[in-house]
Amino acid sequence: GVVAEIKSKVDLVELIGSYITVKKVGKHYSALCPFHQEKSPSFVISPERHMWYCFGACHEGGDVISFVMKWENITFYEALKELARRANVQLTDARFNDREWEKQEILYKINNLAAEYFHYILMKTPLGKKALEYLKTRELNDKIIETFQLGYAPDSWDSLLKFLKKKKFSEEDILRTGLIIRSE
């Protein structure tokens, strides 16, 4: 569709680089996160995945559209129009509405929180201690564990569900992420 076309035509690194200073680090790019104050760069851009993510305080992430939305503080459709102009793509489809985007945004938030939750269990609880020791035997240091936000999922079917419900997410939205499934 038109969204995929826009995303494929807009270079994410180039776009973000037009707002902030980015630096190549291996196959990724890094920068100081523009969405919170920091002294060392924790904002990572992955050109091959067309995604950006802050491993620092804000844990924000997304694609080219969500970056423009957040940077400019505009709606999904406004960001899409701006990017269509940049990509020289004709936007004739008026079906894109902010409600659809909000539904997507909720999925991002739930997935990010789940990652934080499992990372917390790995790093800060007795439950995760054994798993953390195992990771160390596999020569994964703290830097790698932090960068990729590795986590540990406890053998409990509802701990994540309870955590996400406490954060005011509906069971229906949590189900939509695929993080939990409904069964007998």
Side-chain angles (χ1 to χ4, degrees):
V2 73
V3 174
E5 187 187 350
I6 289 167
K7 283 172 154 185
S8 72
K9 286 187 175 174
V10 175
D11 184 314
L12 181 64
V13 176
E14 205 176 282
L15 174 100
I16 295 176
S18 71
Y19 295 106
I20 60 174
T21 306
V22 298
K23 191 174 143 208
K24 192 160 174 48
V25 181
K27 59 182 179 177
H28 297 106
Y29 288 78
S30 77
L32 290 172
C33 180
F35 306 122
H36 79 275
Q37 289 294 309
E38 63 177 11
K39 287 184 172 59
S40 58
S42 61
F43 184 89
V44 176
I45 307 162
S46 168
E48 61 185 34
R49 291 179 61 210
H50 304 284
M51 300 294 280
W52 58 273
Y53 188 76
C54 172
F55 288 97
C58 66
H59 291 289
E60 293 281 350
D63 58 15
V64 69
I65 300 168
S66 57
F67 182 86
V68 172
M69 283 175 67
K70 193 158 175 53
W71 180 273
E72 304 280 358
N73 194 20
I74 55 179
T75 68
F76 174 71
Y77 191 61
E78 288 170 326
L80 203 60
K81 280 197 295 198
E82 169 58 29
L83 290 165
R85 193 186 56 71
R86 271 181 184 249
N88 211 4
V89 171
Q90 209 53 42
L91 253 197
T92 52
D93 197 336
R95 284 177 309 177
F96 301 105
N97 59 43
D98 293 328
R99 184 162 295 265
E100 281 306 304
W101 178 251
E102 278 165 22
K103 284 165 84 173
Q104 289 300 110
E105 196 72 349
I106 286 169
L107 298 188
Y108 271 132
K109 285 181 177 153
I110 292 173
N111 277 299
N112 282 338
L113 269 175
E116 282 179 41
Y117 173 72
F118 292 135
H119 183 65
Y120 176 82
I121 289 173
L122 177 71
M123 301 304 284
K124 306 272 195 255
T125 71
L127 269 178
K129 197 172 175 1
K130 219 176 194 168
L132 191 56
E133 283 166 8
Y134 170 74
L135 291 178
K136 301 284 169 124
T137 68
R138 299 295 305 269
E139 295 181 14
L140 291 173
N141 60 32
D142 287 344
K143 176 118 178 77
I144 290 171
I145 292 167
E146 285 297 327
T147 302
F148 293 97
Q149 206 177 3
L150 300 182
Y152 176 72
D155 189 15
S156 148
W157 71 270
D158 66 345
S159 65
L160 178 65
L161 179 63
K162 283 179 181 166
F163 169 75
L164 292 170
K165 278 182 153 182
K166 258 190 221 155
K167 297 283 183 186
K168 305 278 185 266
F169 289 105
S170 72
E171 204 165 305
E172 183 193 331
D173 284 333
I174 300 166
L175 272 165
R176 282 193 315 120
T177 64
L179 288 168
I180 60 168
I181 52 169
R182 189 170 271 141
S183 69
E184 300 309 309

